[in-house]
Amino acid sequence: MSDLAGVKVVVAGLGPMGRDISRVFDQAGATVSVVDVSPELTESGLAKIRAEAESAGERVSAIAAATLAEAVPDADVFLEAVVENLAVKRELLAEVAALGRADLVVASNTSSLSVGEMGKAFGDPERVVGMHFFNPATKMRLVEVIAGGGTSAAVVRRARELAEALGKTAVVCRDSPNFIVNRVCRPLYYEAQLLVTQGVPAGAVDAAASGGLGHPMGPLTLLDFTGLHTHLGSSETALREFADPRYRPIPLARSLVRSGFTGRAAGRGFYDYTTEKPRAAIARLRREPGSDGAGVQIIAAGPDATAFELPATTGGRVITLYRCHGGPGEGDIAAVRKLAGSGEVVVDSSDGRWLDVLPAGVGWLRLHRAPAGDLFAEIVRDDVAKVAPTPAVTAVADAVGAASVEVPALPGLVVDRLAYCMVNEAAGLVEEGTAVAGDVDVALTLGMNHPRGPFETLELAGAPAVYEALRSMAELTGDPRYRPAQLLRRQAAGARR
């Protein structure tokens, strides 16, 4: 690749991200100068770059060690990847401002700090832009381009061009805490932690996220991998910046961090790595389809009977699957009671209001069609609420070939609760003008490897269903975390007309 031939780039900060970004620019044909806080660390960082490139089968073409005074005066692009500390970045940018040309483009790889504040520190906000690469930058295709309040349109355009010349996909967002990916994923992490505090095993949460949503890594496994102290810090930043109780950190995370249980690197976080690693915990809690569905014929009924097509089933044992993904109305309750009087019935719903009206002897699950096409079931078992899976529940799951996990009778269960809270956050982000819906979906699919973006989820589920599910969760919990975005409310109203 030589799309950036002749472009002179300075990368400051030679931690893992800075080293990867240097390699990416080098592979694109740029002339790269690397700088760290001392000549010794710069040389050490350059040696690591060469070793990592060799290990990946690459050849370093034009990366050299330098000082700021040597490299910045002749540079076209300056990109900082130093520690996430605004004071450190301010000091660095003031030094760069004194050395650089009047047309130097200044980019920050910050994942959460204000690009606008960095622009002020630099002294010329028009030339300062965020370019948030994802880890590892040599492989991840996404770059979030962040426009500070004073960033010029020409510099935003140049940042997009640079990202594309690196073989990346750029999405543009306005300067706002956590930008796109980390912002939309915040409720995913919050809800996963809350579910654990409410009695759902970590492995069950992750099994539901991977089985029902197709996420390559469950949210709690991911938090353990990245470090709970990192997540807690960004949560506190989000709460401070937004001043909205929806962003308050989960007490369990704070307790784990204070105890030194910060995740995989510490040997313990949401999982205890000395006794059972996430993969084993998930496998233990996930039930694969068995033989209980042999000879079962499923008859779909209810307002969502045709929500998505189920596999054809035949047999002498007839089970009615009452599919009511919203809250139960009086007609739904009466219909389930009548059906239960003459045969086996299973309710298919994640709405927590079924807990108060589920007739005795009726099973409860929620079926999902994952993005890859396979079926996954959440089977409700709640010893406190005295809700147990009936034989018909496992028979239904087996008859349709659905893997499953048991969950308590909580509002939204697990899969819909995680998915719809992410949709709600994405809707709020678009409503306030931080990004457009298409870029949000691209960001989540490329930045998190999610098979669907939140707006694709919204389109598949329907705005009225998502809006009503959030209202139900808000009503049953009294928690503002589930307050629907006004954009979502308006979309739901429009869909009904």
Side-chain angles (χ1 to χ4, degrees):
M1 230 177 6
S2 59
D3 291 350
L4 296 180
V7 177
K8 296 178 180 178
V9 178
V10 178
V11 177
L14 296 181
M17 283 301 291
R19 297 197 303 269
D20 277 3
I21 292 168
S22 300
R23 286 170 53 197
V24 169
F25 272 103
D26 178 65
Q27 292 297 302
T31 300
V32 182
S33 297
V34 293
V35 184
D36 214 323
V37 294
S38 70
E40 294 76 18
L41 286 176
T42 301
E43 289 293 346
S44 172
L46 179 56
K48 289 179 181 178
I49 288 171
R50 287 172 174 154
E52 289 161 357
E54 182 178 354
S55 178
E58 299 172 3
R59 184 176 66 86
V60 172
S61 300
I63 303 180
T67 64
L68 288 177
E70 292 168 342
V72 171
D74 198 32
D76 301 300
V77 177
F78 174 84
L79 191 145
E80 70 81 13
V82 301
V83 63
E84 276 292 81
N85 181 299
L86 192 56
V88 172
K89 293 181 188 288
R90 281 181 180 139
E91 184 177 346
L92 172 64
L93 291 171
E95 190 172 353
V96 171
L99 294 168
R101 301 193 319 240
D103 61 348
L104 175 68
V105 172
V106 176
S108 171
N109 183 51
T110 181
S111 61
S112 61
L113 298 177
S114 169
V115 174
E117 284 197 61
M118 284 186 262
K120 284 168 57 182
F122 180 68
D124 186 357
E126 289 193 357
R127 290 191 280 138
V128 178
V129 67
M131 288 186 71
H132 178 215
F133 290 76
F134 284 72
N135 190 26
T138 51
K139 295 180 180 179
M140 297 297 282
R141 292 167 50 201
L142 182 70
V143 175
E144 290 178 323
V145 173
I146 302 99
T151 309
S152 73
V155 168
V156 171
R157 186 165 56 250
R158 180 57 177 151
R160 288 195 72 147
E161 292 168 352
L162 287 169
E164 289 163 2
L166 298 174
K168 308 296 185 184
T169 298
V171 293
V172 175
C173 69
R174 185 174 57 82
D175 192 13
S176 180
N178 297 150
F179 311 139
I180 300 176
V181 174
N182 290 336
R183 165 88 176 271
V184 175
C185 285
R186 189 148 298 286
L188 172 69
Y189 302 138
Y190 285 159
E191 295 306 316
Q193 295 169 70
L194 278 173
L195 285 161
V196 173
T197 68
Q198 293 165 350
V200 186
V205 174
D206 283 350
S210 58
L213 300 175
H215 291 184
M217 184 181 288
L220 298 173
T221 302
L222 185 56
L223 283 174
D224 270 4
F225 177 76
T226 57
L228 303 188
H229 54 302
T230 301
H231 166 74
L232 181 60
S234 64
S235 298
E236 290 169 337
T237 297
L239 178 61
R240 182 175 63 251
E241 292 290 329
F242 288 111
D244 187 329
R246 294 192 305 132
Y247 297 101
R248 64 195 187 278
I250 308 305
L252 176 59
R254 195 183 303 280
S255 175
L256 288 169
V257 170
R258 285 174 174 169
S259 301
F261 303 142
T262 55
R264 191 175 78 171
R268 182 173 168 187
F270 287 103
Y271 295 92
D272 186 340
Y273 292 78
T274 63
T275 59
E276 188 177 47
K277 294 179 181 176
R279 189 186 298 264
I282 292 167
R284 174 173 54 82
L285 294 168
R286 175 182 161 114
R287 179 183 180 274
E288 300 300 330
S291 59
D292 289 358
V296 169
Q297 180 180 4
I298 297 172
I299 304 296
D304 297 297
T306 59
F308 56 80
E309 188 175 356
L310 298 175
T313 56
T314 58
R317 181 183 175 189
V318 177
I319 300 175
T320 300
L321 182 65
Y322 194 86
R323 309 187 72 189
C324 178
H325 297 165
E330 291 184 5
D332 298 306
I333 300 166
V336 169
R337 285 177 176 159
K338 182 176 180 180
L339 289 165
S342 58
E344 294 182 284
V345 181
V346 173
V347 166
D348 175 9
S349 180
S350 65
D351 195 293
R353 288 173 288 195
W354 276 102
L355 177 62
D356 301 314
V357 298
L358 190 73
V362 172
W364 184 3
L365 57 64
R366 173 69 162 107
L367 280 174
H368 305 273
R369 185 171 294 284
D374 46 328
L375 293 178
F376 182 81
E378 295 173 275
I379 292 176
V380 178
R381 178 189 290 277
D382 195 316
D383 296 339
V384 174
K386 295 183 171 55
V387 177
T390 63
V393 170
T394 52
V396 167
D398 288 356
V400 300
S404 61
V405 66
E406 291 186 349
V407 299
L410 294 167
L413 302 184
V414 176
V415 174
D416 287 342
R417 181 165 159 181
L418 297 179
Y420 295 166
C421 286
M422 289 181 70
V423 169
N424 195 39
E425 192 68 30
L429 185 148
V430 168
E431 181 178 61
E432 69 195 20
T434 295
V436 298
D439 276 358
V440 173
D441 276 356
V442 169
L444 270 294
T445 54
L446 294 184
M448 292 295 294
N449 289 320
H450 288 178
R452 288 180 187 145
F455 288 101
E456 185 179 359
T457 297
L458 177 62
E459 183 176 354
L460 288 168
V466 174
Y467 175 66
E468 289 302 328
L470 289 164
R471 286 189 63 194
S472 175
M473 287 187 271
E475 174 190 323
L476 292 171
T477 64
D479 196 323
R481 293 184 192 275
Y482 311 107
R483 180 183 69 239
Q486 286 302 304
L487 176 61
L488 191 56
R489 177 174 180 261
R490 290 157 56 208
Q491 288 173 324
R496 294 189 191 100
R497 289 192 170 93

